[in-house]
Amino acid sequence: MASPDSKRQMPAKGASYELIYWPGIPGRGEHIRLALEEAGAEYIDHSLDNNYAMAYMAQIKKNIGDGLNPPPFAPPILKQGDLLIYQTPNILLYLGPRLGLAPRFEEDSDGIYHINQLALTALDGLSNEAHDTHHPVSMLLYYEDQKEESKRKAEDYIANRLPKFLGYFERVLRGEASGEGPWLYGGQLTYADLVLYQCLDGVMFAFPKALTRMEKSGEFDGVFGLYKAVQERPNIKEYLASDRRQKYSLGIYRHYPELDEQ
């Protein structure tokens, strides 16, 4: 029996990427968009086509995959040629070396793992935990049904978890492995920097008062310096000003004034 890898056709050189994600929110798909935009890659963002995106989401629970790909569990989903993969860190692991946002294995056999662990840490503490501040009990309940629990969760997150993760990345930036310049690893921009940027941007939207205080404290100058450096990248700057950049709404990052620092 032939393995899926032996049957898979290599994507044609320059074949465009297709991103499938929920319409109307940046969400976890935004990490993929930022990587593609920074690299100037050709891609189709199906979240901009509401009918296509919703029709695709409607059939996910019935999807059993094909001879080459297991079924996706949830978006974001990336397609290129006959390859279909999901999970944000997994997609970035695939795209990184192809887009010049991570070293190729033959150039630095350890680098991709260092970059990926940094991205995973940012997603853990500044995305997943940030989401849990407004849904600490159940994803199936409305925020209003768990408001008191959310207040307790957000208070702890701002007081303890946020400084812990920002402090970690500050230490990374001061370390020798980060190299020269404002970046996390190897002295050059990688997808880990883009992930940290997007996570920080989302947390700023959710908790503007707390993040303003933390920025003014001077304890995390390297982290906020990285944030500004990403914003000034020519391709990122153009993207952020475009209609392709979707606004925050009822996704991972939500601004409830009562959850922010008072």
Side-chain angles (χ1 to χ4, degrees):
M1 178 180 177
S3 68
D5 192 57
S6 67
K7 294 186 289 182
R8 191 182 303 282
Q9 298 296 311
M10 291 296 291
K13 187 176 181 180
S16 66
Y17 300 99
E18 296 181 53
L19 173 63
I20 300 165
Y21 197 67
W22 297 104
I25 56 172
R28 292 175 176 85
E30 193 64 15
H31 301 286
I32 317 304
R33 293 187 193 99
L34 286 170
L36 293 165
E37 292 283 349
E38 165 62 26
E42 180 183 344
Y43 76 104
I44 300 167
D45 187 350
H46 287 297
S47 72
L48 300 177
D49 181 344
N50 188 73
N51 291 335
Y52 179 97
M54 296 311 294
Y56 194 96
M57 302 309 172
Q59 59 81 46
I60 279 187
K61 289 185 179 180
K62 300 176 183 178
N63 190 326
I64 61 170
D66 56 34
L68 299 173
N69 303 289
F73 178 75
I77 298 163
L78 184 80
K79 291 177 64 179
Q80 188 187 29
D82 59 10
L83 175 71
L84 186 149
I85 55 176
Y86 71 100
Q87 284 280 6
T88 300
N90 191 47
I91 293 171
L92 291 171
L93 194 67
Y94 173 78
L95 289 176
R98 290 167 172 82
L99 298 180
L101 294 171
R104 292 187 175 275
F105 187 81
E106 58 270 21
E107 298 168 353
D108 179 357
S109 60
D110 298 330
I112 189 70
Y113 304 112
H114 293 309
I115 292 164
N116 202 50
Q117 71 188 3
L118 292 167
L120 287 166
T121 302
L123 290 167
D124 281 346
L126 303 174
S127 179
N128 297 340
E129 289 197 28
H131 171 273
D132 289 348
T133 61
H134 56 77
H135 274 74
V137 178
S138 172
M139 288 282 293
L140 300 180
L141 294 174
Y142 290 109
Y143 164 68
E144 290 73 18
D145 297 325
Q146 46 195 319
K147 200 168 181 178
E148 290 306 312
E149 293 89 348
S150 294
K151 287 180 180 179
R152 292 181 62 193
K153 183 72 173 178
E155 183 179 351
D156 176 71
Y157 183 67
I158 291 170
N160 298 305
R161 302 299 287 170
L162 254 179
K164 180 173 184 174
F165 281 93
L166 295 182
Y168 168 72
F169 284 109
E170 190 69 23
R171 287 191 288 115
V172 171
L173 289 164
R174 292 175 183 172
E176 186 177 348
S178 73
E180 298 295 325
W183 312 122
L184 290 169
Y185 180 77
Q188 60 185 11
L189 179 86
T190 69
Y191 71 80
D193 299 298
L194 298 176
V195 169
L196 181 56
Y197 165 81
Q198 176 56 25
C199 288
L200 196 57
D201 193 68
V203 173
M204 285 175 163
F205 172 79
F207 307 106
K209 291 181 180 179
L211 268 292
T212 296
R213 174 183 59 78
M214 291 180 189
E215 183 175 9
K216 288 181 178 178
S217 75
E219 294 180 50
F220 313 111
D221 284 349
V223 172
F224 287 102
L226 180 151
Y227 176 84
K228 293 170 184 174
V230 170
Q231 278 187 322
E232 291 303 314
R233 302 282 297 185
N235 286 355
I236 297 297
K237 192 171 186 178
E238 186 277 326
Y239 167 65
L240 294 176
S242 74
D243 292 338
R244 302 190 303 281
R245 172 76 165 182
Q246 300 189 47
K247 299 183 186 307
Y248 294 110
S249 56
L250 295 180
I252 296 170
Y253 301 107
R254 307 184 187 187
H255 177 55
Y256 295 112
E258 63 271 21
L259 299 187
D260 198 1
E261 202 165 65
Q262 301 304 306

